[in-house]
Amino acid sequence: MYKVFCDGASRSNPGEAAIGVSIQDNEKEIHTISEAIGIASNNVAEYKSLILALEYSLKKNYLNLEIFLDSKLVVEQINGNFKVKSDNLKKLNSDAINLISKFNSVIISHIYREHNKRADQLANMALDK
């Protein structure tokens, strides 16, 4: 099972935004994504980090994932525990759930920010460019 750490960052919320993703196999980082995404809210950036991680993993045939995000909102919405009320998040939520359906196994869990430092670092590196 691959471990995937995702984070989105937005300065001014909404403002300049970026995503960071760290994909690990047996505790070794095998791929990173550090990408600016333009003007977006933090929640949009969090969703986009998840979607890009899922798209990359699908392309590489990594079909069993354990995904960690420090956005409780995104985790709970994806897991069906929170309703998606914001119109701008409904499509992102739907896109993510559609992608998840293509995997053998996906577990999405909330972690505290201090346990998601690498993904946060990658998102901030993209913002600082």
Side-chain angles (χ1 to χ4, degrees):
M1 180 160 304
Y2 295 90
K3 288 189 176 184
V4 181
F5 296 84
C6 301
D7 197 25
S10 177
R11 296 194 175 145
S12 299
N13 200 25
E16 289 295 328
I19 58 122
V21 176
S22 172
I23 300 175
Q24 300 178 5
D25 185 18
N26 293 320
E27 307 301 319
K28 181 180 179 221
E29 187 172 72
I30 58 171
H31 185 72
T32 62
I33 302 170
S34 177
E35 189 175 304
I37 60 168
I39 303 296
S41 70
N42 192 65
N43 289 334
V44 167
E46 294 280 358
Y47 262 108
K48 289 197 175 208
S49 72
L50 173 61
I51 289 167
L52 282 170
L54 290 166
E55 289 172 342
Y56 179 84
S57 297
L58 198 56
K59 184 173 76 174
K60 289 297 198 175
N61 211 32
Y62 303 159
L63 298 180
N64 297 293
L65 304 177
E66 189 172 9
I67 301 175
F68 302 94
L69 295 99
D70 58 27
S71 170
K72 189 161 184 73
L73 177 78
V74 172
V75 169
E76 295 298 339
Q77 286 178 341
I78 290 293
N79 287 329
N81 298 323
F82 289 2
K83 184 174 173 136
V84 184
K85 297 177 184 174
S86 175
D87 287 337
N88 66 330
L89 298 183
K90 285 180 181 175
K91 180 173 182 347
L92 294 169
N93 179 270
S94 175
D95 290 348
I97 289 171
N98 182 47
L99 283 165
I100 289 166
S101 73
K102 298 176 181 182
F103 288 81
N104 293 339
S105 170
V106 175
I107 300 165
I108 299 182
S109 302
H110 175 259
I111 56 171
Y112 290 105
R113 187 176 190 158
E114 58 266 20
H115 300 293
N116 203 24
K117 288 182 180 177
R118 178 62 174 151
D120 179 69
Q121 177 188 39
L122 292 163
N124 280 293
M125 283 171 40
L127 280 174
D128 292 339
K129 285 184 182 174

